[in-house]
Amino acid sequence: MARWRARLLGFVLALLVATLSGSLIQTQFNLAALAALGAEISLATRLSTSFHDLLGFAPLYAGLMAAALSASLPLAALGRRWLPLPAGLVYAAAAALGVWLAFMVVDAMAPMPTLIAATRSLTGTLAMLAGAALGGLVYARCVGRRS
């Protein structure tokens, strides 16, 4: 029973960390794009926009992240049986790959070229994947070596 609690707690924390970090990352990439066009972006605007995106974008992103993590983390647990790699690396890579696949799927179905503007560039995509990988690391830390 303790194993299931650790996995559930790990999943919830990984989802929270990956969602919040991804939301903040995409906000800053969007603001950087506006600044590149000449817009003045103050610290107050950055903070306010980040807060509003946590309320508006994060719930949508949490759904995408939940779907990606609910598939990728169990697959990582299976893969660990055959991969002699540290748990943190396996879960982080699985979370990042799962989210990358989710981006590909939603972009293929979205009417616009990309659903999440930050993923229009390689740098933005890698930053978003790093947020997911951070969630994978949190999961690995919660479940320990036995998962």
Side-chain angles (χ1 to χ4, degrees):
M1 191 61 140
R3 270 181 147 176
W4 284 105
R5 269 187 271 169
R7 287 181 182 152
L8 181 60
L9 176 64
F11 181 82
V12 169
L13 290 176
L15 178 61
L16 186 64
V17 166
T19 297
L20 295 178
S21 63
S23 180
L24 293 171
I25 289 166
Q26 74 85 27
T27 300
Q28 299 313 308
F29 268 84
N30 291 343
L31 291 174
L34 291 172
L37 295 172
E40 294 280 333
I41 310 290
S42 68
L43 178 59
T45 300
R46 284 188 182 279
L47 293 174
S48 174
T49 305
S50 296
F51 176 74
H52 284 94
D53 275 358
L54 287 173
L55 295 177
F57 173 74
L60 168 74
Y61 192 58
L64 180 81
M65 189 61 63
L69 293 179
S70 65
S72 64
L73 295 178
L75 287 173
L78 286 174
R80 284 205 56 229
R81 296 177 186 196
W82 299 283
L83 296 171
L85 299 170
L89 179 62
V90 173
Y91 286 114
L97 288 172
V99 171
W100 177 75
L101 179 60
F103 288 160
M104 298 297 109
V105 170
V106 297
D107 286 346
M109 296 179 352
M112 64 287 280
T114 58
L115 182 66
I116 300 171
T119 63
R120 289 184 185 142
S121 71
L122 177 60
T123 305
T125 300
L126 291 176
M128 296 293 287
L129 297 182
L134 184 59
L137 285 171
V138 167
Y139 183 81
R141 182 79 175 184
C142 289
V143 298
R145 298 174 187 250
R146 295 188 176 264
S147 61

